[in-house]
Every structure is written in structure tokens, then in C-alpha cells.
Amino acid sequence: MTDYFRNVVPEKHPGIKLEWVKSVINAPMSKSIQSDNRIVLWGKIPEAEDRILRVVLLEDGETIHNAFFDRSFLKKHKQGETL
């Protein structure tokens, strides 16, 4: 985990559980690579009213950098936009 994930994410996005982050990493419903080579994964969290959790990993594919609920994912996904 990055320092950002450890120190900032809990303040900015309280309530996100590490077990949810791990479940998205282990079985993402969608995956994308950002222009900075960070890996973005999305997954549905049933315990959070089926909200979509976006998890950002560093380019090594292992280090967790960010996690937050992505309100626009389903809309973009349905419209066929590149994520």
C-alpha cells in the first residue's frame, strides 16, 4: 500500500473496507490501464448497496494506491465508453 492509501483514502473515503478492495483486486468486473501505467480495477460491492468500487494499483500490479466508489462507472459502461 502507498502512504496515500494508508493515510489519505480513509479520510477522503471513510467506510471503504480493505476486504472490499481485495475482492475487487481478486475478481474485477472491469480493468483498464491509465496513461501513467497505473492499473484501474472496478468491482461491485453487494454490502455497499451494489456500488462500484474503483481500485487503483501502481504499475507493479500489487501496490494499492487508491480506492473510491465510482458513481459514473455504470453510466459510462452502458454507453460503451472506453474506461
Side-chain angles (χ1 to χ4, degrees):
M1 294 177 215
T2 63
D3 286 339
Y4 181 85
F5 183 78
R6 275 196 279 301
N7 300 316
V8 177
V9 171
E11 291 181 25
K12 286 182 77 173
H13 310 288
I16 291 179
K17 298 180 181 181
L18 185 57
E19 67 187 68
W20 296 346
V21 173
K22 290 179 179 180
S23 73
V24 172
I25 292 169
N26 292 329
M29 63 186 288
S30 189
K31 179 179 178 179
S32 179
I33 307 293
Q34 296 181 158
S35 59
D36 61 3
N37 291 321
R38 290 182 179 170
I39 301 162
V40 182
L41 309 169
W42 289 268
K44 189 180 288 189
I45 307 300
E47 302 89 346
E49 300 173 356
D50 283 340
R51 294 168 72 191
I52 303 299
L53 185 64
R54 180 177 180 159
V55 176
V56 180
L57 304 176
L58 296 185
E59 50 278 346
D60 65 11
E62 296 179 11
T63 306
I64 305 166
H65 177 66
N66 200 357
F68 57 92
F69 287 110
D70 189 339
R71 289 181 235 156
S72 66
F73 174 81
L74 291 176
K75 181 179 177 184
K76 289 178 181 177
H77 193 69
K78 285 179 183 175
Q79 293 174 350
E81 291 183 33
T82 304
L83 302 171

